[in-house]
Amino acid sequence: MSSTPLRHTALDAVHRALGATMTDFAGWDMPLRYGSERDEHLAVRTRAGLFDLSHMGEITVTGAGAAALLNFALVGNIASVGVGRARYTMICRADGGILDDLIVYRLAETEYMVVANASNAQVVLDALTERAAGFDAEVRDDRDAYALLAVQGPESPGILKSLTDADLDGLKYYAGLPGTVAGVPALIARTGYTGEDGFELFVRPEHAVRLWEALTEAGEGVGLVPCGLSCRDTLRLEAGMPLYGHELTTALTPFDAGLGRVVKFEKDGDFVGREALTAAASRAEATAPRVLVGLIAEGRRVPRAGFAVVAGGQVIGEVTSGAPSPTLGRPIAMAYVDAAYATPGTEGVGVDIRGTHEPYEVVALPFYKRQK
């Protein structure tokens, strides 16, 4: 047990006043749910949900050599990201293992914000700092400089429009622009982890409560509810989005995870992991690694991470994430399975749930895709 006290977000008192069930998540005391996680999930799918994501790790990279540093440190081509745009990418070890998946925002010509997962923020900060040697760039830990709120769901554009004169209609997916929301200066980003349209708002911690209250008030008439980490997990699972520590680990390369597209070998210069990832790409072409698939239960028993996937009495894979799906009404899972069993509709696949091989249908990811 760690003796380090839990960190609290700027919205801690708000969560407690709302009666949230709190949980330790990556060293932060975070809201797991406020009421029914199923109701919170369905609110995001059909109306809107408001999340506190202030545990995420913001790292600012500035200087004339910022783009060159990030191109060396990460697997993506960050130099090609336009100002005001964002890119999903990864940071890998020299052996190609995934240290974390990231979103990088280009805020200005020589300024970037790297957003890491809470559990890996220190690892990413340390790696970027170490890799910055010899580059004309500064790596700054800005985790305490930001609170992060997200409003997600089909009603989220209307809610936000009522509080800002920023050009939300012109804001593309994976882009960000500075603006003012409810009188609060914010970086307004159109990103998310729910499978729905939505926005993430980076603000100073002292402005977080004011913004939360304004969003809550603006969303009252359209059914916005506060949402915890539990429904965030089922939303991203239905949307087929990977979670670090489950679908992504240091034991896997991006090619093992079916995300080789984020590795940009064509960019200029060397980057950490290039040699190992070149070999991993060749291996993936020669012999297909295990493939990440969706599994839908025929029964009611819920699979969990680490459970074996079986066929013909043999272990053919492993569940990485599993939960009841409020949208589908049945338990679902993501799992890495042998390529021979990865085709949607493959017969005879099950999950070993405490000694019983429960039947599951193999499906293509994602389980859920919103209607545009």
Side-chain angles (χ1 to χ4, degrees):
M1 291 291 289
S2 170
S3 58
T4 309
L6 289 178
R7 299 184 69 181
H8 298 275
T9 78
L11 292 160
D12 185 69
V14 173
H15 302 318
R16 292 173 195 284
L18 289 168
T21 300
M22 305 296 285
T23 188
D24 175 357
F25 186 82
W28 290 83
D29 204 15
M30 297 296 294
L32 188 64
R33 71 182 75 82
Y34 298 86
S36 154
E37 53 207 45
R38 181 179 179 276
D39 289 349
E40 291 171 24
H41 178 112
L42 293 174
V44 175
R45 285 276 177 261
T46 60
R47 303 186 305 277
L50 179 58
F51 296 83
D52 177 10
L53 305 180
S54 303
H55 60 310
M56 300 295 281
E58 296 88 3
I59 301 161
T60 303
V61 181
T62 57
L69 162 60
L70 291 170
N71 262 17
F72 169 72
L74 311 180
V75 300
N77 187 354
I78 308 305
S80 68
V81 178
V83 173
R85 298 307 303 267
R87 184 156 297 166
Y88 176 80
T89 187
M90 294 182 184
I91 183 167
C92 290
R93 303 191 305 194
D95 67 2
I98 302 167
L99 283 172
D100 201 14
D101 61 335
L102 312 164
I103 296 179
V104 180
Y105 296 89
R106 189 169 195 166
L107 304 181
E109 195 59 37
T110 59
E111 182 181 6
Y112 295 82
M113 181 168 66
V114 177
V115 182
N117 285 295
S119 55
N120 294 329
Q122 190 64 47
V123 169
V124 174
L125 177 66
D126 291 345
L128 287 175
T129 303
E130 182 185 324
R131 295 173 190 188
F135 288 92
D136 180 13
E138 179 197 352
V139 176
R140 187 173 71 233
D141 180 0
D142 268 350
R143 284 176 287 180
D144 292 336
Y146 290 103
L148 177 57
L149 282 66
V151 56
Q152 296 276 308
E155 297 286 355
S156 59
I159 292 168
L160 203 55
K161 278 179 186 176
S162 73
L163 297 173
T164 183
D165 58 5
D167 179 17
L168 298 186
D169 291 334
L171 186 63
K172 296 183 173 69
Y173 187 53
Y174 266 71
L177 84 167
T180 302
V181 183
V184 169
L187 172 68
I188 305 167
R190 197 166 208 158
T191 49
Y193 194 52
T194 63
E196 299 299 336
D197 191 11
F199 303 87
E200 298 190 331
L201 306 169
F202 296 86
V203 299
R204 293 184 61 81
E206 59 266 30
H207 295 150
V209 172
R210 178 176 164 188
L211 183 57
W212 179 282
E213 289 173 348
L215 288 163
T216 299
E217 191 177 333
E220 268 174 359
V222 291
L224 174 134
V225 301
C227 293
L229 294 180
S230 186
C231 83
R232 183 170 154 87
D233 190 48
T234 52
L235 288 160
R236 70 90 195 169
L237 177 55
E238 287 184 352
M241 294 175 168
L243 174 63
Y244 195 88
H246 290 255
E247 289 72 40
L248 309 173
T249 69
T250 51
L252 298 172
T253 71
F255 294 94
D256 297 323
L259 292 166
R261 65 181 181 276
V262 305
V263 182
K264 303 301 181 187
F265 292 117
E266 70 276 12
K267 65 180 173 177
D268 292 338
D270 195 15
F271 63 90
V272 177
R274 181 190 273 274
E275 190 177 328
L277 290 169
T278 301
S282 299
R283 277 198 310 275
E285 277 185 27
T287 56
R290 280 185 166 175
V291 179
L292 189 65
V293 300
L295 299 173
I296 299 180
E298 293 182 17
R300 310 302 295 178
R301 298 183 74 187
V302 179
R304 297 298 182 193
F307 285 13
V309 182
V310 293
Q314 301 295 312
V315 174
I316 57 141
E318 184 176 306
V319 171
T320 53
S321 297
S325 164
T327 304
L328 277 62
R330 288 196 282 168
I332 59 172
M334 287 200 280
Y336 283 109
V337 301
D338 294 343
Y341 297 89
T343 305
T346 299
E347 302 275 320
V349 172
V351 175
D352 186 337
I353 300 181
R354 298 180 184 85
T356 304
H357 292 184
E358 298 284 340
Y360 273 75
E361 178 189 356
V362 178
V363 299
L365 292 169
F367 300 97
Y368 167 86
K369 199 163 193 176
R370 71 182 171 99
Q371 301 301 309
K372 299 292 186 192

